[in-house]
Amino acid sequence: MTELEALEQKIAQLAALFQRAREENRDLRQRGMQLEADNQRLNDKVLAARERLEGLLSRLPADPAA
């Protein structure tokens, strides 16, 4: 294998590695966006549950022992 062939092989390997890194980066960005959406949805559910609980607690009669 000549020096030029070895260099060509290394460049090809580097190009393939770069492409895999770009694909992984894209996948991670998409996953991050999905996790952010999931987090927002869960936060909304917690807020709704808190509001329902506060509404129920406000309807309870006052504790006469207090």
Side-chain angles (χ1 to χ4, degrees):
M1 177 180 287
T2 68
E3 190 176 327
L4 181 58
E5 290 171 334
L7 183 57
E8 287 174 345
Q9 184 178 12
K10 287 182 180 181
I11 290 172
Q13 290 172 345
L14 182 60
L17 182 61
F18 177 74
Q19 184 61 33
R20 282 196 306 270
R22 285 185 64 164
E23 291 169 0
E24 183 179 357
N25 189 29
R26 183 197 65 229
D27 293 344
L28 288 171
R29 286 180 188 273
Q30 288 175 345
R31 180 70 177 138
M33 289 171 43
Q34 181 62 48
L35 289 171
E36 287 177 5
D38 291 347
N39 188 39
Q40 183 61 50
R41 182 181 51 81
L42 291 172
N43 281 334
D44 292 345
K45 287 178 79 171
V46 167
L47 179 60
R50 179 184 301 135
E51 289 171 354
R52 285 193 307 269
L53 182 57
E54 288 172 352
L56 290 171
L57 289 174
S58 70
R59 288 192 236 149
L60 289 176
D63 186 6

